Amino acid sequence: MSFLSKRNLQLSEHFIIWGVRQWVICNNSKEDAIPLLNKIYSTKNVQKLTVSINNFMCTFSKNKEIDIYCLCHNELSFSEINILKSIYLAQNGYDVECIRCISRFISEKEKNAFENIISISSTLLCKNYIIPSRSEYLLNCSEGKYRFH
């Protein structure tokens, strides 16, 4: 994957990266991330992201091979890019590819993780926050679309 930095991100992508990174900080310090996530997301009327990101990260963080950077880090990690990619794929109807993407980190048995990605994607779409098309997100996508929702 090519280099992505926070400077290049749109607001929708910043919502996700900030939430994921903040969740990890709270989790590492044994704090509940929900109040902080909800407070920030409610300022943009996307508080539904709070529960979906929390639930997704609870599942996602069980994998010891994920890499999430600190809030001040400008680059995006491979794991962070794949989270954005999975949401992009879900927003654009590439559900099979979305599952394949996130399955690199989460067992396919963890179906709720995929449901949370769909929920995150839908919440953003309802408020017109689109994850933009990027070459990093389109690698290995088939031309056909198949929607599960």
Side-chain angles (χ1 to χ4, degrees), residues 5-41:
S5 76
K6 288 192 322 186
R7 286 187 289 254
N8 303 3
L9 299 181
Q10 291 188 8
L11 184 59
S12 56
E13 295 165 303
H14 277 286
F15 280 153
I16 302 306
I17 296 304
W18 175 85
V20 164
R21 289 179 176 185
Q22 190 60 57
W23 187 93
V24 170
I25 290 168
C26 290
N27 187 59
N28 287 344
S29 62
K30 309 291 187 231
E31 294 177 38
D32 183 5
I34 290 177
L36 181 58
L37 294 177
N38 198 53
K39 179 180 177 183
I40 299 302
Y41 287 145

Side-chain angles (χ1 to χ4, degrees), residues 8 13 20 45 52 54 72-73 80 87 91 93 95 105-106 110 122 127 132 138:
N8 303 3
E13 295 165 303
V20 164
N45 203 22
S52 298
N54 183 67
C72 61
H73 204 282
E80 292 167 337
I87 297 166
Q91 280 189 342
D95 291 1
F105 301 100
I106 297 173
E110 300 283 0
S122 298
K127 300 297 180 182
L138 296 174

Side-chain angles (χ1 to χ4, degrees), residues 46-109:
V46 289
Q47 56 270 38
K48 281 181 135 183
L49 287 177
T50 301
V51 172
S52 298
I53 285 183
N54 183 67
N55 292 344
F56 175 76
M57 289 304 295
C58 285
T59 303
F60 192 68
S61 66
K62 291 177 187 175
N63 185 317
K64 295 188 179 2
E65 295 182 26
I66 65 167
D67 55 328
I68 304 295
Y69 293 156
C70 67
L71 284 174
C72 61
H73 204 282
N74 192 45
E75 293 178 28
L76 270 64
S77 70
F78 178 73
S79 296
E80 292 167 337
I81 291 171
N82 274 296
I83 291 169
L84 290 175
K85 177 180 178 176
S86 66
I87 297 166
Y88 167 81
L89 293 169
Q91 280 189 342
N92 289 280
Y94 292 105
D95 291 1
V96 172
E97 286 83 357
C98 172
I99 290 170
R100 200 174 296 141
C101 175
I102 214 62
S103 290
R104 293 178 187 144
F105 301 100
I106 297 173
S107 164
E108 287 193 39
K109 295 175 186 169

Side-chain angles (χ1 to χ4, degrees), residues 15 44-47 122-130:
F15 280 153
K44 297 293 184 185
N45 203 22
V46 289
Q47 56 270 38
S122 298
T123 299
L124 291 171
L125 277 175
C126 285
K127 300 297 180 182
N128 292 317
Y129 291 116
I130 308 299

Side-chain angles (χ1 to χ4, degrees), residues 89 92-97 142-149:
L89 293 169
N92 289 280
Y94 292 105
D95 291 1
V96 172
E97 286 83 357
S142 65
E143 292 190 24
K145 295 182 181 183
Y146 184 78
R147 296 187 79 87
F148 290 129
H149 57 286

